[in-house]
Structure formats: structure tokens, C-alpha cells
């Protein structure tokens, strides 16, 4: 019955007879789905952008900063500064099975001079792994390697901005000698500038340590393996703090003495935020859709009321309840899915347009927005939602129509 | 063809209304019966029960040998579709369907193919001189034409009985006479016919007149439709 041409023709005629009403009702549904898709694609774009910032450090990276103690311990007053040294590196490298690639970092600021040009810069002493852990993008040449660290070579990787300012006329700065605080470094690479935090240049930490006679590191980074869950990370942090506390003589629960940062924990936190945003978007979208569904249901009620007489005649002529029920449900379903798809296509179209025009929106090197799009799963889900809502919208008015007694319907005016 | 035994019907409103008080009635195949009565006499209720458009409280109703009682919605629909043709005072044509589509509609509910049912519908329209009007909508037809369309629609399923509720109530006397003539012809072809009317001129054109008063049958009398002058004023 449902799949005959006649059945659909009857429905099309019914829809056609109330063209304006059908269009207005359909618009509510189309708008609901359109907004749902748009919200979701914008949400996805925002999420993709944020998550892409984590992608390049897909491994879990811990960063430790020396702080100052917040409570007295073993006769030390509180407020004592904690500085990292080679002892910390040894502790981290040998004392924790999960830890690898321990990277110290120290820095010095100075005047970078090439020819007649000079610029203020921060020179950072690092290890080779720093490039991967701190998301350094190399534009030219190479980064600091093991050899540089071992021999404390006077080599330097400058950033984009320095290159532009100091090596304006040169095709490549690589191989040139750059003076920082009157010491000549050979330029081996150019890295992308990182945010608006001033000029940066990298050298081997051993080099900088020797030339500036620093004993301490202001920052230690390392990656971890096998720390997956939040609980594992928490336990690790506790253990880490206790061990460092023993080494530096501070209370093992003093979390002001050493600042511990972890990308995994950040990532988990961000993920948690995003799942709430996602839920929120779905709730708004569904709420908009529900108002559309209520609209369709309402219109179907009016339609059924208007057609009471006709339904009565049909029943007198032998129409079965199932035929009346299915025709009204199908009418609602047709409005919902047809206009739902129009809305969905419009939404997908707009987000695809936004994708191609915007693509990526960066603020200070951080992606805020990337690939706003909806995946096929969402489309499939939206389709399901549409069908369910269409049937729901049609069902109650249809049941009302079925309950109409033929004689009452015929006499209905 | 129709056998009613002690049919009772009460409408339960603000005040219960006992509309039919024990109706016993027998109509044989091929009869042409009119049911007369003042408004409120229960004649329309009776017709609705006969047409399985309404239910009755107690008693038995046999139609073509089958007991019609407590039928499911679907069974009732099927009975109406196969056995009964309706003609209404207000025609009850579907306004957005052409004459042909209206006539073909009962066949749609028999799941007949479009081609076949349109062919049959055209046949019946032709029989009542409406071939040229097949593609017209009801609001483009005169009252007489509309009623002829509804007669065609009632007949298209070849029902056992035709139930007509004030079939000329909305027509002028000339058209009324025409419609009655058509119903006569239909009856002559062997189809049982029941006409509810309050007009004497209509009743006189049937073969049996049943008078209903306050929910009971007051009289049943045979009538010779040929006895009256067919050109006489029908109303």
C-alpha cells in the first residue's frame, strides 16, 4: 500500500493543496536542521582547531618549572627558590621508568648582531629533542643535534623574524656568523617564529651553559611512555614531586616548589570541555528541531481537522484505518525529511564554503578554527532524527484521524 | 438481503437519547424501500447502522447473510467497500478530485490498478451521461450532475445494496425527478435500494414505504411507483 504510486500521489496532492502551509512548516524543520548542522560544524571547526594544537605533540610531554617553596621544611624557611641542575636530570633519567628524553632548557638574553644590524633576542639552550617537544617548525637548515650538544658547538638556529631583520639582503643566512653578546655563532637553521614573544634563537644547552656560566636550568621537559589514564598521570606526578622534594629538600606535598605541567592532562581537560560543548550544541540543535517538529505536528492536527469530512467519506467508501494512518504519518514524514534534507544540504553547503574560504584561522600561531565540517555519521544521525521526528509529528494527529467515526466525519462541517 | 432483529440504539449525551427502540425489518434482494419519518424519528440513525457507519447497542443485523456486529474497523471498512454503496444528501464528493477520480476512489481501496479503476469509473460515468464531465471538479458540476457522480461512485464496486440518505434533499424538483429515475433504473438492474427521505413524492417513487416514528416502525406498506404520474410535482 505504502509503496504504490497512488499512495504517494494522494500525499503529494494533499501537500500541494496547502502549498504555503507546507512551505512554512517545512521551513521550521529546515531551519532547525540547518542550525544544528551549522552549530555542529562550527563546533567541529573550533574543536579541530584546538585539537590540532595538540596533535604535533601527540606524545605526553611534561614540563617542570622551578618555583619557590610554600611551606617551611627541615629548617628551611618557606619562599626558597628551587632551581634545577644536572642532578635533576640524572634523577629523572634514572629514577623513573616512564620518563625519556629529558631536556633541560636555559636562556640568556642578548644583542644579536650581524653586520650593521642588531636586534634584542633571547637565546635558548636546548637539546635536539626540544624541536619535537616544543613544536618548533624548521624552515631552513637543521636544528641542534647531538654532536652540537656533546661538543658545545657555537651553532645557532635563528627564527624567522631575526632572519628578516638581520639577513635582509642575503638569500640564506645559513653558514653566516652571528654575534650574540659578542660571541660568534654559526647559523645552521631558521625556525618559524613562535607567537609574539620576541626574537628567539636556539643553541645547544651545553654551549650556553658554558658561555654564560649558568649552573641552573629554569625548565626541564621530558616525554613519558605508558602513562595513559588520568589516574596514572596523577600518581606519577605525586611520585615525581616526592622524589624532587627529597632531592631539593622540600615538603613532598609542596606543589608550589616545582610547577608540573603535562600535555596529557591538558589534553584530557580540553577533551572534557569539548564533550560538554558538543553536548550543549546537540541540546540546542535538538531543541530547535523539536520546535520544528511541534510545528509539523500542529499543522498536521489542523490538516486532520480540516480533512475530517474527507476522511469520513474515505472511510465510508472503504478506507481502512491503516490507510488513513499511514497517509497522514507519511505526509508528516515527507515534509520533515524533504525539508530536513534541504536544511541539511544548506548547512553542509555553508560549512563547506566556510571550510574552503576560512580553512584555518590562526591567532598567534595557535589554531582557533580549522576544517569546519560535519562527518557522515552526523548526517546519518540527523537523518535518523528526522525520520523519527517525522513519524512522531504525524502519529498523534493521525491517530486522531483514525478515531474519527465515519458518520461524525461526514456530518462534520 | 437485510434482516434487522430488535435493534436498539441509545445516544449517551447530557441526556441519554433512545433513538431506535427495537427495530425489526426485513428487506429482500431487489427491493426498493423508502424510510420515511420526521426529523428525530431515527431514520438517519437507522440508515447509518445499515451502512455500518454507526454501531448499535442490542439486536442483530444480518447483511447478505452475514451478521454485522462488533466488527473491527478494518472489517467494517471492507464490508462497506464491497457490499454497500452510499448516496448522500450533500453528495460528499471529494472537492479536489475530478469526477472520475471520485468515482474511482472506492476501487482504490480495493487495491485495483489505476488503469483498471479509471476505466471502470469512465464506464459508470458514461452510463449516467457524464463522460464529458469526467475531468471536471465537483465545484464545476451542477447539483444533479454531482448526485449522478455519487450514484456512479456508489455503483462502481457493484455493491449488494445502495443506501441513499435524502438523495434529493439538495436538488430542485426537476433534478430530483431525474435522480429518482436513475435510482429506479439502478434498482431495475437488481440492486437492493434503501432511501431515507421525508418527502412524500420521493417515497411514492419506491416500492415499499416504511414509516418511522419515535424510534419504532409505525407502518410498512407496499407502493406502486407506476401508479403516480411521473411528471407530477415530486416535492
Amino acid at each position: 500500500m505504502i509503496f504504490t504510486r497512488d499512495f504517494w500521489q494522494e500525499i503529494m496532492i494533499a501537500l500541494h493543496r496547502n502549498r504555503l502551509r507546507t512551505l512554512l512548516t517545512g521551513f521550521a524543520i529546515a531551519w532547525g536542521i540547518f542550525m544544528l548542522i551549522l552549530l555542529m560544524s562550527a563546533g567541529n571547526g573550533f574543536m579541530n582547531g584546538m585539537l590540532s594544537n595538540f596533535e604535533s605533540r601527540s606524545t605526553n610531554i611534561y614540563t617542570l618549572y622551578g618555583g619557590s617553596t610554600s611551606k617551611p621544611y627541615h629548617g628551611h624557611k618557606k619562599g626558597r627558590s628551587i632551581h634545577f641542575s644536572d642532578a635533576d636530570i640524572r634523577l629523572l633519567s634514572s629514577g623513573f621508568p616512564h620518563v625519556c628524553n629529558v631536556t633541560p632548557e636555559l636562556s640568556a638574553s642578548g644583542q644579536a648582531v650581524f653586520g650593521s644590524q642588531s636586534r634584542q633576542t633571547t637565546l635558548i639552550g636546548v637539546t635536539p629533542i626540544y624541536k619535537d617537544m616544543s613544536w618548533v617548525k624548521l624552515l631552513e637548515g637543521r636544528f641542534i643535534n647531538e654532536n652540537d650538544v656533546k661538543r658545545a658547538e657555537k651553532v645557532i638556529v635563528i627564527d624567522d623574524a631575526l632572519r628578516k631583520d638581520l639577513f635582509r639582503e642575503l638569500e640564506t643566512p645559513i653558514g653566516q656568523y652571528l654575534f650574540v653578546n659578542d660571541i660568534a655563532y654559526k647559523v645552521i637553521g631558521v625556525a618559524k617564529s613562535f607567537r609574539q614573544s620576541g626574537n628567539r634563537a636556539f643553541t645547544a644547552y651545553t654551549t650556553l651553559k658554558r658561555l654564560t656560566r649558568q649552573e641552573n636550568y629554569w625548565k626541564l621537559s621530558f616525554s613519558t611512555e605508558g602513562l595513559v589514564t588520568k589516574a596514572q598521570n596523577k600518581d606519577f606526578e605525586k611520585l615525581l614531586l616526592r622524589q624532587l622534594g627529597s632531592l631539593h629538600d622540600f615538603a613532598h606535598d609542596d606543589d608550589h616548589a616545582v610547577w608540573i605541567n603535562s600535555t596529557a592532562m591538558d589534553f584530557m581537560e580540553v577533551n572534557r570541555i569539548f564533550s560538554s560543548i558538543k553536548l550543549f550544541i546537540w541540546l540546542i540543535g535538538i531543541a530547535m528541531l523539536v520546535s520544528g517538529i511541534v510545528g509539523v505536528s500542529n499543522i498536521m492536527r489542523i490538516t486532520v481537522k480540516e480533512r475530517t469530512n474527507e476522511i469520513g467519506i474515505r472511510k465510508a467508501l472503504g478506507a481502512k484505518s491503516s490507510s488513513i494512518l499511514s497517509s497522514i504519518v507519511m505526509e508528516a514524514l515527507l515534509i520533515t525529511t524533504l525539508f530536513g534534507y534541504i536544511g541539511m544540504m544548506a548547512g553542509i553547503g555553508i560549512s563547506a564554503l566556510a571550510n574552503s574560504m576560512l580553512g584555518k584561522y590562526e591567532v598567534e600561531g595557535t589554531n582557533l578554527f580549522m576544517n569546519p565540517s560535519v562527518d557522515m555519521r552526523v548526517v546519518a544521525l540527523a537523518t535518523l532524527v528526522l525520520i523519527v521526528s517525522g513519524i512522531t509529528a504525524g502519529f498523534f494527529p493521525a491517530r486522531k484521524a483514525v478515531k474519527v467515526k465515519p458518520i461524525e466525519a461526514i456530518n462534520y462541517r | 438481503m437485510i434482516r434487522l432483529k430488535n435493534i436498539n440504539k441509545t445516544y449517551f449525551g447530557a441526556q441519554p437519547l433512545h433513538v431506535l427502540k427495537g427495530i425489526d425489518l426485513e428487506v429482500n434482494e431487489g427491493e426498493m424501500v423508502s424510510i420515511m419519518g420526521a426529523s428525530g424519528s431515527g431514520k438517519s440513525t437507522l440508515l447509518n447502522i445499515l451502512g455500518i457507519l454507526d454501531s448499535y447497542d442490542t439486536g442483530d443485523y444480518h447483511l447478505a447473510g452475514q451478521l454485522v456486529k462488533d466488527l473491527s474497523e478494518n472489517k467494517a471498512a471492507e464490508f462497506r467497500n464491497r457490499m454497500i454503496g452510499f448516496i448522500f444528501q450533500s453528495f460528499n464528493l471529494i472537492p479536489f478530485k475530478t469526477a472520475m477520480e471520485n468515482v474511482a476512489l472506492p476501487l482504490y481501496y480495493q487495491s485495483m490498478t489505476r488503469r483498471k479503476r479509471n476505466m471502470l469509473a469512465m464506464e459508470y460515468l458514461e452510463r449516467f451521461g457524464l463522460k464529458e464531465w469526467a475531468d471536471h471538479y465537483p465545484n464545476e458540476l451542477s447539483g444533479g450532475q454531482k448526485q449522478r457522480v455519487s450514484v456512479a461512485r456508489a455503483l462502481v464496486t457493484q455493491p449488494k445494496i445502495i443506501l441513499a440518505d435524502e438523495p434529493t434533499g439538495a436538488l430542485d424538483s426537476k433534478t430530483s425527478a431525474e435522480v429518482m429515475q436513475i435510482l429506479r433504473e439502478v434498482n431495475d438492474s437488481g440492486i437492493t435500494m434503501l432511501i431515507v427521505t421525508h418527502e412524500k413524492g420521493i417515497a411514492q417513487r419506491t416500492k415499499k414505504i416504511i414509516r418511522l416514528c419515535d424510534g419504532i416502525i409505525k407502518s410498512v406498506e407496499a407502493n406502486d411507483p407506476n401508479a403516480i404520474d411521473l411528471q407530477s410535482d415530486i416535492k
Side-chain angles (χ1 to χ4, degrees), chain A residues 57-127:
Chain A
R57 352 174 193 169
S58 54
T59 44
N60 186 9
I61 289 169
Y62 269 89
T63 316
L64 311 180
Y65 298 93
S68 56
T69 55
S70 63
K71 42 186 101 175
Y73 189 71
H74 280 186
H76 298 292
K77 275 186 195 159
K78 71 172 191 178
R80 182 168 52 97
S81 294
I82 303 295
H83 302 284
F84 300 125
S85 64
D86 287 331
D88 293 275
I89 297 179
R90 278 194 298 276
L91 170 72
L92 288 170
S93 308
S94 56
F96 297 89
H98 298 298
V99 171
C100 37
N101 300 325
V102 182
T103 302
E105 196 179 318
L106 70 169
S107 60
S109 61
Q111 201 71 8
V113 182
F114 180 74
S116 59
Q117 300 292 329
S118 77
R119 284 290 180 278
Q120 188 68 29
T121 189
T122 306
L123 187 57
I124 305 168
V126 296
T127 63

Side-chain angles (χ1 to χ4, degrees), chain B:
Chain B
M1 181 59 62
I2 289 174
R3 210 167 73 232
L4 295 182
K5 247 173 83 185
N6 198 23
I7 296 287
N8 279 281
K9 173 76 180 176
T10 306
Y11 285 117
F12 294 97
Q15 210 154 27
L17 196 62
H18 199 174
V19 190
L20 297 179
K21 301 164 181 167
I23 299 284
D24 291 301
L25 176 67
E26 206 147 322
V27 177
N28 295 319
E29 191 166 355
E31 276 195 290
M32 187 171 189
V33 179
S34 59
I35 301 172
M36 286 197 76
S39 64
S41 61
K43 59 184 193 302
S44 284
T45 306
L46 180 59
L47 196 78
N48 290 335
I49 288 171
L50 290 172
I52 329 181
L53 294 173
D54 206 346
S55 59
Y56 54 96
D57 302 329
T58 59
D60 290 317
Y61 167 26
H62 284 87
L63 174 61
Q66 283 179 279
L67 178 66
V68 176
K69 196 172 193 176
D70 303 326
L71 294 181
S72 71
E73 280 274 338
N74 283 346
K75 198 76 191 151
E78 209 178 310
F79 265 58
R80 284 195 294 266
N81 185 262
R82 301 267 173 190
M83 311 234 267
I84 306 165
F86 289 98
I87 298 168
F88 302 98
Q89 174 177 5
S90 52
F91 321 124
N92 276 330
L93 298 174
I94 292 177
F96 54 89
K97 286 182 178 291
T98 62
M100 184 180 71
E101 286 167 343
N102 264 290
V103 174
L105 191 60
L107 300 174
Y108 169 66
Y109 293 116
Q110 293 182 359
S111 305
M112 193 179 279
T113 63
R114 166 184 295 266
R115 242 176 61 128
K116 213 170 153 196
R117 61 175 197 259
N118 283 352
M119 220 173 64
L120 264 169
M122 277 310 279
E123 232 171 75
Y124 276 85
L125 284 174
E126 202 173 349
R127 182 171 155 191
F128 297 111
L130 288 164
K131 197 183 173 189
E132 285 72 36
W133 297 90
D135 291 330
H136 287 254
Y137 290 92
N139 62 0
E140 297 164 344
L141 303 174
S142 71
Q145 286 172 324
K146 280 189 218 175
Q147 200 56 302
R148 277 187 282 160
V149 171
S150 72
V151 172
R153 181 178 67 181
L155 285 173
V156 78
T157 54
Q158 295 178 289
K160 296 266 191 287
I161 58 169
I162 295 278
L163 299 177
D165 187 5
E166 305 272 9
T168 61
L171 304 173
D172 61 31
S173 55
K174 186 170 168 283
T175 325
S176 295
E178 278 171 27
V179 167
M180 283 314 291
Q181 187 53 39
I182 286 171
L183 294 183
R184 244 324 261 292
E185 284 163 18
V186 169
N187 176 243
D188 286 345
S189 73
I191 293 179
T192 314
M193 187 162 304
L194 259 98
I195 301 169
V196 163
T197 184
H198 65 273
E199 288 167 282
K200 215 174 158 199
I202 298 297
Q204 277 171 347
R205 283 165 166 77
T206 63
K207 293 167 187 168
K208 195 191 223 177
I209 302 173
I210 296 169
R211 287 179 206 279
L212 215 61
C213 188
D214 293 331
I216 48 173
I217 292 176
K218 216 170 76 181
S219 70
V220 179
E221 60 187 70
N223 181 55
D224 182 5
N226 297 319
I228 61 155
D229 178 7
L230 282 179
Q231 301 308 311
S232 74
D233 207 3
I234 201 164
K235 297 207 170 178

